Amino acid sequence: MSFTRIALLLAFALTPVMTTFADEGMWLFNNPPRKILKEKYGFEPSDEWLTHLQKSAVRFNSGGSGSFVSGDGLVMTNHHVGADALAKLTTSKNDYLNDGFHAKSEKDEIKCLDLELNVLQKITDVTDQVNTAVKADMKPEEAEKARRAAMNNIEKEATDKSKLRSDVVTLYQGGLYHLYQYKKYTDVRLVFAPEQKAAFFGGDPDNFEFPRYDLDICFFRAYEDGKPVKPEHHLKWSEAGAKEGELIFVAGHPGKTDRQNTVAHLEYMRDRQFPVMLNMLRRREVMLNNYAERSDKNAQEAQDELFGIQNSRKARLGGLAGLQDPKVMSAKRAAEEKLRQAIAKDTKNAEAAKAFETIDQAFEKFLPDVVEFNLLEQNAAFNSQLFHIAVELVRLADELPKANADRLREYRESGLDSLKQELFSPAPIYDSLEIAKLADSLGFYMEMRGGEGPVTPYVSPESKRYAEMLSKVMDGKSPRTRAAELINGTKLKDVAERERYFKEGKKAIDASTDPLIKLAKLIDPAARAARKKYETTVEEPLRQSYAKLAKARFAAEGTESYPDATFTLRLAFGTVKGYTEDGKQIPAWTTLGGTFEHAEKHGNKDPFELPASWIKNKGKLKLGTPYNFVSTADIIGGNSGSPVVNRAGEVVGIIFDGNIQSLVLDFAYSDEQARATSVHSAGILEALRTIYQADGLVKELTSAGK
Amino acid sequence: MSFTRIALLLAFALTPVMTTFADEGMWLFNNPPRKILKEKYGFEPSDEWLTHLQKSAVRFNSGGSGSFVSGDGLVMTNHHVGADALAKLTTSKNDYLNDGFHAKSEKDEIKCLDLELNVLQKITDVTDQVNTAVKADMKPEEAEKARRAAMNNIEKEATDKSKLRSDVVTLYQGGLYHLYQYKKYTDVRLVFAPEQKAAFFGGDPDNFEFPRYDLDICFFRAYEDGKPVKPEHHLKWSEAGAKEGELIFVAGHPGKTDRQNTVAHLEYMRDRQFPVMLNMLRRREVMLNNYAERSDKNAQEAQDELFGIQNSRKARLGGLAGLQDPKVMSAKRAAEEKLRQAIAKDTKNAEAAKAFETIDQAFEKFLPDVVEFNLLEQNAAFNSQLFHIAVELVRLADELPKANADRLREYRESGLDSLKQELFSPAPIYDSLEIAKLADSLGFYMEMRGGEGPVTPYVSPESKRYAEMLSKVMDGKSPRTRAAELINGTKLKDVAERERYFKEGKKAIDASTDPLIKLAKLIDPAARAARKKYETTVEEPLRQSYAKLAKARFAAEGTESYPDATFTLRLAFGTVKGYTEDGKQIPAWTTLGGTFEHAEKHGNKDPFELPASWIKNKGKLKLGTPYNFVSTADIIGGNSGSPVVNRAGEVVGIIFDGNIQSLVLDFAYSDEQARATSVHSAGILEALRTIYQADGLVKELTSAGK
């Protein structure tokens, strides 16, 4: 893999270079890559083109992307993005996640339990407003508080004025602050989902691989006032779909990248963060796998979470492999050296020179507290949905009486509606799964804090306090006994009970005998303290340092650039194009027919077993239809479900994955082998028509633009 | 679970108590529980009875137990003990591990590639011989060396004289040394194995559970000079088998228990050893699962190792749960307190009083080096069979020229034949599996040692050396690239090449350009240093301290006791008896018919899918025949395959598992819920007769005693 592009990109404003541009970037819609698109592809998107795409794009708040694909509010996303909603609708009678679903008419569509969709309406630069609140001589704690107040207030004011969901987004790790305002849909109904076996054909072994053969799609419909929404914008469908070598665009919500991180920051991720995270993911994967294997019921309960964890494990493992690759790190080191030199040349950047050191030191300073932060504030010790609800209720009781400006970010006035949607969700919670998860994480807590005392020879000054807290949490019981007692004893499964605590606030919390509320109260002061330590030791110093580096970078390289991903709307672009692996040419796409061969090659055994509908309708299927394809578009987790459109803005596909070589995109773009994987629009139509006889849906899609 | 028995047992010599004895203990054959058996069961085993059982019992050197069950050298063990041999015999044409095997006549029996069986002939107390070699004023390093020399020499002399395999066994963690002499069989042939689906029905979910329905058996035949062995002793078969409430005995090779450990030692295991080990097991489980899922070929290659790892993970998790249970630990603490008081009362025991502290400090002292020891000497950084072979060859070249007395234990003269059997085994080694394993473990090495430097804030004085070693090992490449280069480049898959290095020794090693030999040479000095540190900081001080504690215990409690398990022959006893779980009575046994119901209950889906032979022959099967049963016998891992016999010494079953409550037996015996699980002798006969039509085998078994 070549990372020379990185060095070039960082250098190009210093020494103008005449080179072809790579298809790099997750660009802001208010700062699109006009220059690159024009020079490389001769394409000049109009403002209307951009607005149309922006307002057709949909964010799934559960974590993913989608798009309006009809004038009647039809929303397309991936099956694996819809899976959370599907799992929550699943009952002992109807297993929508595995068996699929098809509403023949609007009245058959099923309302999702807690799904929220967002459509970006407006972006406003509020950098100055945020920054003027923070004075240069403030201590980290004061600075964090002042900035939080400014952000909470900007959002409150904007929400009050517009009735839109309003979020201040931190870009360039602190270089810019933009206000994103969304139209919000909370009445979302399920229209169509294929069987899990078709959507996730090949399962975990094929995940992040190519060639692929997955119908990873799912359709919902947004409603308002009990009627289908007529969205201002929606995408037309291209029946022909993407062609080899064609320029395509992706409008979606990449979750998080770390490309602007300093080398010291990347080393911290490589040596500490990723190994710890991966141990946790493996631990939970093994635990959930064991739970799932015991019965069909267990499997159904754990399925969605297990798939999510396996997906993360594979993605993070790929990311770590990138960080452990000397080629990647030496390219990063070279790029940083160029930036350091640019900074050194410009006397206005004196402050930026110190930023590298501040970032490095921040992680070192926080090391003695990182375990406490992970255990108590990140819930590594308490892996339980019900416990998470208890924490929310306990904190809401403290935070809501405060002025909006002073609240923790997640309890700000402008976000309360979305928070309540989640908190009061009637989605099922399974006792035995909760016990298994909580017992395992309490066991982890004991491992980290020692059974009755400190575990490490490097005794922290806090060891005694840690041991006392552990002892209070465990209450003289084993992890399994304690977990069962807590889950069996809580009444928080009852939504009315949650609403009561929310309404009655502090008084009800103080009077509560609910074991989970009591536990959440017990750990809250320590958890808040750990969080404050994180904010003042890491978050704030990093924010300030990265802001300085961003400023220096803008000065050196210009502002036609893109910030790291933030789960907000971005524009990516690229070419439909295969690649070479181990000397073998991997074609840009697969066909529907290839699916059957792939199944055959794996003995038609799970997870390579096709659903009955596919086997039954194979004879009628146009086997040569393009099915999945790859492109050079710059995407990452969160982009799942993003529409892939052509120059005309028509849907030619839908992103659902990246290949294994793309996992390093977290840290650096490359188009040598890294590819984004999509379901092809022609393959979708053919499957809907021939396998699922979803004629109404096909008609709605194909007539969308007529 | 009640642990009062422990306190009682430790106290009974101090204050004679009139209590019923528990069925506790893994007793030495030269110090059997005569008193308990007589008082509780009125049974007095004769010397002949004991010798007959001892010489009928067989140790599988691959890790397990078995027994001679016919006069023609037929050996019975578990399928999962034979699995290693079965997997090695498996080819692309014959999948003996999954499909089973049945030799209709002697000429069809297949020779195993590297299986060694041991039959214990003689036990001699050599404690004085060993101890006189070690002087009281020796430093740990000298003491270790002197003791090693004494042990190597005793073994060499015994082997030369008797031609028997001769091992000095450390009992009571250093309290006694016994010389065990075995008749050894290396021509072992496969006679019969059922399908994996019958042997391991219920798979990982049912492992360590009860009720169970497994035909976990496998038959081999020992040969000498090309002919079936006529063993001096073999067990008769009981067609009726075990009955509820009946006294039964188990003769087998429990691997390792930690019941005599001090509380500090147990805390170290709980807070450090087990969590680290479990993280490693989970890591390997996830890695192997991913490898296996990719194709049938991969699954076959990884299967045996994956099952082993899942089994260990579940067992260790159960052990850790025990250590994390305050009831277990407080019982341990009470017992230790009693011993401390007894020691305090007897002035002759002054030295023992210090032993507790020495043990505690040993672990603390070793903490800075434990990672290095695990990575380099325990191969955590190099999970590869071929690398292990390279290490053996490199070390043999250094050790063999030394005097026998000075060699590392594993290269002592008396053990060379067994070592060569393993080293020159033609068992298949799979390149792609080796690469996957080595890449993962090299990645782990990078995680532990940082990509380019130390990872912890507690910088060890050795960090620089560690980082340099990592850098040399990785050679500027990523883990995956380096692993592929090493495995693809080595010639050690060729047994002749291994034999060449063995024969030519140091000269060949020094001249070698084989990348694995070079890597093994590179790390050898550091690995040896880490080992020496372990031996002198932990092993030797523990051995001396536990010897003192054992002496004190003998003085206080008498010598009718049993030492912790050491993978040597032991006698356990107990009653066939059900138990109560969550208020529900679990019967002592299951029937063959229950198997079909259990499959049905789990939708007949893998791992609850029965093989075709069972489904086909269900109609003919006597469904009421007892199949699996539980007893209170005191067993642990390594006992797998142990014969279960009645007072008459007849086979009434074969141990294959323990229930989940038995996993804590590692640390303390309990008969409240903990149970040993066996296949019933009547169920075995009925399955062999009706499902497998193995009439010859049935005849051989049932006529064995006639």
Side-chain angles (χ1 to χ4, degrees):
Chain A
M1 210 177 298
S2 158
F3 284 86
T4 47
R5 281 294 319 142
I6 309 296
L8 285 174
L9 181 81
L10 286 160
F12 79 77
L14 301 173
T15 346
V17 277
M18 303 304 289
T19 175
T20 50
F21 296 100
D23 299 335
E24 172 170 355
M26 303 167 178
W27 298 80
L28 299 173
F29 266 76
N30 58 348
N31 187 18
R34 293 190 192 274
K35 193 175 156 195
I36 304 177
L37 286 176
K38 188 176 169 189
E39 295 189 6
K40 181 165 181 186
Y41 292 104
F43 182 71
E44 297 181 68
S46 66
D47 288 350
E48 291 70 33
W49 189 95
L50 287 164
T51 302
H52 176 68
L53 188 54
Q54 171 190 318
K55 293 194 173 172
S56 299
V58 172
R59 182 170 75 170
F60 276 68
N61 250 8
S62 52
S65 303
S67 58
F68 278 125
V69 286
S70 92
D72 292 314
L74 190 68
V75 175
M76 176 171 70
T77 187
N78 291 145
H79 185 269
H80 80 268
V81 171
D84 178 62
L86 291 167
K88 285 171 177 169
L89 288 175
T90 287
T91 63
S92 55
K93 273 170 61 191
N94 296 302
D95 187 352
Y96 300 124
L97 180 57
N98 287 304
D99 301 342
F101 177 76
H102 182 189
K104 292 271 160 52
S105 67
E106 264 172 33
K107 68 170 175 26
D108 299 327
E109 294 171 5
I110 309 173
K111 195 171 183 310
C112 297
L113 297 181
D114 54 14
L115 189 55
E116 178 186 316
L117 305 185
N118 297 155
V119 179
L120 179 62
Q121 302 297 312
K122 205 179 157 188
I123 307 177
T124 317
D125 189 333
V126 295
T127 310
D128 289 345
Q129 252 176 289
V130 173
N131 282 346
T132 50
V134 183
K135 310 299 173 206
D137 59 348
M138 281 178 169
K139 284 190 191 131
E141 192 177 335
E142 298 167 317
E144 187 278 328
K145 207 181 157 193
R147 182 179 292 104
R148 175 151 51 94
M151 288 163 80
N152 285 3
N153 285 341
I154 293 169
E155 287 161 341
K156 168 91 166 64
E157 204 179 303
T159 310
D160 287 351
K161 214 187 272 177
S162 65
K163 303 294 162 208
L164 295 173
R165 172 181 174 134
S166 303
D167 300 339
V168 173
V169 179
T170 304
L171 299 168
Y172 296 97
Q173 276 100 324
L176 293 178
Y177 293 91
H178 286 181
L179 176 67
Y180 274 56
Q181 292 185 277
Y182 302 94
K183 192 152 174 41
K184 200 168 84 176
Y185 299 99
T186 52
D187 182 353
V188 183
R189 306 193 189 174
L190 178 61
V191 176
F192 175 85
E195 309 88 337
Q196 167 89 2
K197 280 180 181 165
F200 196 46
F201 175 68
D204 185 53
D206 263 11
N207 197 13
F208 297 115
E209 303 288 338
F210 198 79
R212 278 298 271 292
Y213 309 87
D214 283 9
L215 190 67
D216 196 351
I217 57 159
C218 193
F219 291 94
F220 293 93
R221 194 183 303 282
Y223 279 71
E224 259 181 338
D225 305 323
K227 279 180 205 135
V229 161
K230 305 280 178 193
E232 199 187 339
H233 291 272
H234 71 268
L235 300 175
K236 293 183 197 175
W237 195 271
S238 163
E239 293 195 43
K243 303 236 174 311
E244 178 129 26
E246 185 177 359
L247 168 66
I248 50 90
F249 300 89
V250 177
H253 303 82
K256 185 175 181 292
T257 55
D258 296 278
R259 296 184 190 172
Q260 308 288 356
N261 290 9
T262 63
V263 170
H265 192 165
L266 291 175
E267 285 173 345
Y268 175 78
M269 296 178 82
R270 178 193 63 193
D271 298 338
R272 297 211 148 249
Q273 217 174 26
F274 270 57
V276 167
M277 190 164 39
L278 274 161
N279 270 348
M280 182 59 71
L281 288 168
R282 291 190 192 102
R283 180 184 185 110
R284 290 188 176 171
E285 179 172 350
V286 169
M287 181 263 300
L288 286 175
N289 232 331
N290 274 279
Y291 181 83
E293 278 176 341
R294 300 198 57 77
S295 70
D296 284 353
K297 185 177 159 290
N298 280 19
Q300 206 185 59
E301 289 173 8
Q303 178 175 339
D304 185 44
E305 189 170 346
L306 179 55
F307 285 163
I309 282 175
Q310 289 179 322
N311 187 62
S312 297
R313 181 254 307 149
K314 210 161 175 178
R316 295 297 148 255
L317 213 48
L320 181 57
L323 291 174
Q324 288 186 336
D325 186 339
K327 281 192 285 183
V328 175
M329 285 308 263
S330 49
K332 282 285 173 190
R333 221 163 263 125
E336 182 163 306
E337 190 45 40
K338 292 254 178 194
L339 181 62
R340 280 180 192 261
Q341 282 170 17
I343 288 172
K345 274 184 204 159
D346 187 343
T347 49
K348 285 201 302 294
N349 284 330
E351 286 221 332
K354 273 181 272 170
F356 291 104
E357 206 181 332
T358 308
I359 292 168
D360 193 6
Q361 285 169 354
F363 292 113
E364 206 164 316
K365 269 189 213 156
F366 192 60
L367 278 179
D369 300 292
V370 70
V371 170
E372 181 80 344
F373 180 69
N374 285 341
L375 287 172
L376 300 191
E377 180 64 12
Q378 304 283 82
N379 282 337
F382 309 100
N383 181 20
S384 147
Q385 213 182 326
L386 288 166
F387 178 75
H388 179 69
I389 289 169
V391 168
E392 290 285 53
L393 293 169
V394 166
R395 291 210 165 157
L396 278 163
D398 283 327
E399 293 292 314
L400 288 191
K402 293 183 190 169
N404 180 48
D406 297 334
R407 290 184 200 162
L408 292 176
R409 288 279 293 147
E410 63 268 37
Y411 305 111
R412 64 192 186 272
E413 204 58 39
S414 62
L416 280 186
D417 279 352
S418 299
L419 189 146
K420 280 155 77 176
Q421 166 102 345
E422 217 185 288
L423 189 59
F424 303 144
S425 165
I429 296 174
Y430 307 103
D431 280 7
S432 58
L433 179 58
E434 284 278 292
I435 292 171
K437 285 164 57 180
L438 186 56
D440 175 68
S441 52
L442 287 175
F444 178 69
Y445 187 23
M446 283 190 86
E447 290 174 29
M448 296 308 285
R449 289 296 179 223
E452 286 125 288
V455 270
T456 106
Y458 316 106
V459 179
S460 153
E462 304 290 336
S463 307
K464 208 178 146 220
R465 185 169 64 76
Y466 295 154
E468 279 167 11
M469 178 62 87
L470 172 69
S471 155
K472 281 183 200 160
V473 167
M474 300 308 301
D475 198 22
K477 287 156 194 130
S478 72
R480 179 127 209 122
T481 307
R482 182 70 172 136
E485 171 185 88
L486 288 164
I487 299 300
N488 292 330
T490 186
K491 292 199 178 73
L492 296 178
K493 275 160 278 181
D494 182 0
V495 174
E497 185 73 355
R498 298 177 214 163
E499 286 168 335
R500 184 179 72 79
Y501 283 113
F502 185 85
K503 219 181 97 199
E504 297 179 12
K506 189 104 185 97
K507 218 183 86 189
I509 294 290
D510 284 346
S512 176
T513 57
D514 191 290
L516 282 183
I517 295 280
K518 282 165 70 184
L519 179 62
K521 268 162 55 185
L522 169 69
I523 68 147
D524 195 52
R528 279 179 182 261
R531 174 173 172 161
K532 173 139 278 172
K533 201 137 196 174
Y534 174 73
E535 285 166 350
T536 54
T537 316
V538 178
E539 206 176 60
E540 185 60 29
L542 255 61
R543 196 185 275 266
Q544 295 190 11
S545 300
Y546 276 118
K548 286 168 196 160
L549 291 181
K551 219 172 127 192
R553 212 178 254 125
F554 293 149
E557 302 166 9
T559 53
E560 184 155 326
S561 70
Y562 64 93
D564 265 313
T566 47
F567 196 44
T568 51
L569 191 65
R570 300 295 179 90
L571 180 67
F573 62 94
T575 310
V576 178
K577 195 177 165 186
Y579 56 103
T580 308
E581 190 177 61
D582 298 333
K584 219 177 90 188
Q585 180 60 31
I586 312 286
W589 48 47
T590 61
T591 62
L592 286 169
T595 317
F596 298 93
E597 291 161 30
H598 197 61
E600 187 67 33
K601 218 178 95 185
H602 290 85
N604 299 296
K605 276 191 302 193
D606 182 50
F608 298 94
E609 184 190 22
L610 282 165
S613 62
W614 280 66
I615 292 159
K616 191 179 127 197
N617 294 299
K618 183 184 172 188
K620 288 181 263 171
L621 210 57
K622 286 177 196 141
L623 297 175
T625 314
Y627 191 18
N628 291 176
F629 69 96
V630 285
S631 68
T632 58
D634 191 359
I635 60 134
I636 199 90
N639 266 115
S640 284
S642 303
V644 183
V645 302
N646 56 21
R647 288 173 189 236
E650 298 164 337
V651 175
V652 296
I654 175 173
I655 294 285
F656 75 97
D657 203 9
N659 64 2
I660 207 101
Q661 292 88 346
S662 80
L663 292 171
V664 76
L665 293 192
D666 195 349
F667 309 107
Y669 178 80
S670 161
D671 58 8
E672 195 178 320
Q673 293 188 301
R675 291 292 181 276
T677 315
S678 304
V679 196
H680 194 278
S681 64
I684 294 173
L685 278 197
E686 175 63 9
L688 288 177
R689 258 191 212 113
T690 310
I691 294 172
Y692 298 99
Q693 288 89 42
D695 301 326
L697 191 55
V698 168
K699 203 177 147 199
E700 187 173 351
L701 289 172
T702 52
S703 62
K706 286 161 194 165
Chain B
M1 207 179 295
S2 158
F3 284 87
T4 46
R5 278 296 317 142
I6 308 295
L8 285 174
L9 180 79
L10 287 160
F12 80 74
L14 302 173
T15 346
V17 278
M18 302 304 288
T19 174
T20 50
F21 298 100
D23 297 334
E24 173 172 354
M26 301 166 177
W27 297 81
L28 299 173
F29 267 76
N30 58 346
N31 188 17
R34 295 188 190 276
K35 193 174 157 192
I36 304 177
L37 287 175
K38 186 177 174 190
E39 294 190 7
K40 183 166 180 186
Y41 292 103
F43 182 71
E44 298 181 68
S46 65
D47 288 349
E48 291 70 32
W49 189 94
L50 287 163
T51 302
H52 176 68
L53 188 53
Q54 170 192 318
K55 294 194 173 173
S56 299
V58 172
R59 182 167 78 169
F60 275 68
N61 250 8
S62 53
S65 303
S67 57
F68 278 123
V69 286
S70 93
D72 292 313
L74 190 68
V75 176
M76 176 170 70
T77 186
N78 291 147
H79 184 270
H80 79 268
V81 171
D84 178 62
L86 290 168
K88 286 172 177 168
L89 288 175
T90 287
T91 63
S92 54
K93 274 169 61 190
N94 295 303
D95 187 352
Y96 300 124
L97 181 57
N98 287 302
D99 301 341
F101 176 78
H102 181 188
K104 293 269 160 56
S105 67
E106 264 171 35
K107 70 172 170 28
D108 299 327
E109 295 172 3
I110 309 174
K111 193 171 185 310
C112 298
L113 298 182
D114 53 15
L115 190 56
E116 178 185 317
L117 306 184
N118 296 154
V119 179
L120 180 62
Q121 302 298 313
K122 202 177 161 191
I123 306 177
T124 318
D125 190 333
V126 293
T127 309
D128 288 344
Q129 251 176 293
V130 173
N131 282 347
T132 50
V134 183
K135 310 297 172 208
D137 60 348
M138 281 180 172
K139 287 192 189 127
E141 193 178 331
E142 297 166 317
E144 188 277 329
K145 208 182 154 190
R147 183 179 291 102
R148 174 152 50 92
M151 288 162 80
N152 286 2
N153 286 341
I154 292 168
E155 287 160 342
K156 168 91 166 66
E157 202 179 308
T159 310
D160 288 349
K161 212 186 275 178
S162 64
K163 303 295 162 206
L164 295 174
R165 174 182 171 133
S166 303
D167 301 337
V168 173
V169 180
T170 304
L171 298 169
Y172 296 97
Q173 277 99 327
L176 292 179
Y177 294 90
H178 286 182
L179 175 68
Y180 274 56
Q181 293 184 276
Y182 300 97
K183 190 151 175 41
K184 199 168 83 177
Y185 299 98
T186 52
D187 181 354
V188 183
R189 306 193 188 174
L190 178 61
V191 175
F192 174 87
E195 309 87 337
Q196 166 91 0
K197 281 180 180 165
F200 197 46
F201 176 68
D204 185 52
D206 264 12
N207 197 13
F208 297 116
E209 303 288 338
F210 197 77
R212 278 296 274 292
Y213 309 87
D214 285 8
L215 190 66
D216 196 351
I217 55 159
C218 194
F219 290 94
F220 293 92
R221 193 183 306 281
Y223 279 70
E224 259 181 338
D225 305 322
K227 279 180 205 135
V229 161
K230 305 282 177 192
E232 197 187 340
H233 291 272
H234 72 268
L235 300 174
K236 292 183 198 178
W237 195 271
S238 161
E239 293 194 45
K243 302 236 174 310
E244 178 130 27
E246 184 178 0
L247 168 66
I248 51 89
F249 300 87
V250 177
H253 303 82
K256 184 176 182 294
T257 55
D258 296 278
R259 295 183 188 171
Q260 308 288 354
N261 289 10
T262 63
V263 170
H265 192 165
L266 291 174
E267 285 173 344
Y268 174 78
M269 295 179 82
R270 179 192 63 193
D271 298 338
R272 298 212 147 248
Q273 216 175 27
F274 271 58
V276 167
M277 190 164 40
L278 274 161
N279 271 347
M280 181 59 70
L281 288 168
R282 291 188 191 101
R283 179 184 187 110
R284 292 188 175 171
E285 179 171 353
V286 168
M287 181 264 299
L288 286 176
N289 233 329
N290 274 277
Y291 180 83
E293 277 177 343
R294 301 197 57 77
S295 71
D296 284 354
K297 185 178 158 289
N298 280 18
Q300 207 185 59
E301 289 172 10
Q303 178 174 339
D304 184 45
E305 189 170 348
L306 180 55
F307 285 163
I309 282 176
Q310 289 180 323
N311 186 63
S312 295
R313 182 254 306 149
K314 210 162 177 177
R316 295 298 149 252
L317 211 49
L320 180 58
L323 291 175
Q324 287 186 335
D325 186 338
K327 280 191 286 182
V328 175
M329 285 307 264
S330 49
K332 282 286 173 188
R333 222 164 263 124
E336 183 163 308
E337 190 45 40
K338 291 253 178 195
L339 181 61
R340 280 178 192 264
Q341 283 169 16
I343 287 172
K345 273 183 206 158
D346 187 343
T347 48
K348 283 200 303 295
N349 285 330
E351 286 223 333
K354 276 183 268 171
F356 291 103
E357 207 182 334
T358 307
I359 291 168
D360 193 6
Q361 285 171 352
F363 292 113
E364 207 164 315
K365 270 190 212 154
F366 192 59
L367 278 180
D369 300 293
V370 70
V371 170
E372 181 81 346
F373 179 69
N374 285 340
L375 287 172
L376 301 191
E377 180 64 11
Q378 304 283 82
N379 281 338
F382 308 100
N383 182 19
S384 148
Q385 212 182 325
L386 288 167
F387 178 74
H388 180 69
I389 289 170
V391 168
E392 291 285 54
L393 292 171
V394 166
R395 291 209 166 157
L396 278 164
D398 282 328
E399 294 292 314
L400 288 192
K402 294 183 189 170
N404 180 49
D406 297 335
R407 292 186 201 162
L408 293 176
R409 289 280 293 146
E410 63 268 38
Y411 305 111
R412 64 191 185 274
E413 204 59 40
S414 62
L416 279 187
D417 280 351
S418 299
L419 190 148
K420 280 155 78 176
Q421 164 103 341
E422 219 184 287
L423 188 60
F424 303 144
S425 165
I429 297 176
Y430 307 103
D431 279 6
S432 58
L433 178 59
E434 284 278 293
I435 292 172
K437 286 164 59 180
L438 185 55
D440 176 69
S441 53
L442 288 175
F444 178 69
Y445 187 24
M446 282 191 88
E447 289 174 30
M448 295 310 284
R449 289 295 180 223
E452 286 124 291
V455 273
T456 107
Y458 317 103
V459 179
S460 152
E462 304 290 336
S463 308
K464 208 176 146 224
R465 184 168 65 76
Y466 294 155
E468 280 168 7
M469 177 62 87
L470 172 68
S471 158
K472 281 183 200 160
V473 167
M474 300 306 301
D475 198 23
K477 288 157 195 129
S478 72
R480 180 130 207 117
T481 308
R482 182 71 173 134
E485 173 185 86
L486 288 165
I487 300 300
N488 292 329
T490 187
K491 294 202 178 71
L492 295 178
K493 275 160 278 179
D494 182 0
V495 173
E497 185 73 355
R498 297 177 214 162
E499 286 168 336
R500 183 178 72 81
Y501 282 113
F502 185 85
K503 218 181 99 197
E504 297 179 12
K506 191 105 182 93
K507 217 183 88 190
I509 294 290
D510 283 346
S512 178
T513 57
D514 191 290
L516 283 182
I517 294 281
K518 281 165 69 186
L519 180 63
K521 266 161 59 186
L522 170 68
I523 68 148
D524 195 52
R528 279 180 182 260
R531 174 173 173 161
K532 173 139 278 172
K533 200 137 197 174
Y534 175 73
E535 286 167 349
T536 53
T537 316
V538 179
E539 206 176 63
E540 184 60 31
L542 255 62
R543 195 186 275 266
Q544 294 190 10
S545 300
Y546 275 120
K548 287 168 195 159
L549 290 180
K551 217 172 129 191
R553 213 178 254 121
F554 292 150
E557 301 166 10
T559 51
E560 182 155 328
S561 69
Y562 63 95
D564 265 313
T566 45
F567 196 45
T568 50
L569 191 66
R570 300 296 179 91
L571 179 69
F573 61 94
T575 310
V576 178
K577 194 177 167 188
Y579 58 103
T580 308
E581 188 177 61
D582 299 332
K584 220 177 89 187
Q585 181 60 29
I586 312 286
W589 49 49
T590 62
T591 61
L592 285 170
T595 317
F596 299 93
E597 291 162 30
H598 198 60
E600 188 67 34
K601 219 179 96 186
H602 290 86
N604 298 297
K605 277 190 302 194
D606 180 53
F608 298 94
E609 185 189 21
L610 282 164
S613 62
W614 280 65
I615 293 161
K616 191 179 127 197
N617 294 301
K618 183 185 170 186
K620 287 181 264 172
L621 210 58
K622 286 176 195 143
L623 297 175
T625 314
Y627 190 18
N628 290 175
F629 69 96
V630 286
S631 68
T632 58
D634 192 357
I635 60 132
I636 201 87
N639 267 116
S640 285
S642 301
V644 183
V645 302
N646 56 20
R647 289 174 190 235
E650 298 162 336
V651 175
V652 294
I654 173 171
I655 294 285
F656 75 99
D657 203 9
N659 64 2
I660 207 102
Q661 293 89 346
S662 80
L663 292 171
V664 77
L665 293 193
D666 194 349
F667 309 107
Y669 178 80
S670 162
D671 58 8
E672 196 178 320
Q673 293 188 303
R675 291 293 181 275
T677 315
S678 305
V679 195
H680 194 278
S681 64
I684 293 173
L685 277 197
E686 175 62 8
L688 288 177
R689 257 190 213 116
T690 311
I691 295 173
Y692 298 99
Q693 287 89 44
D695 301 327
L697 193 53
V698 168
K699 203 179 149 198
E700 187 172 352
L701 289 172
T702 51
S703 61
K706 284 159 195 168

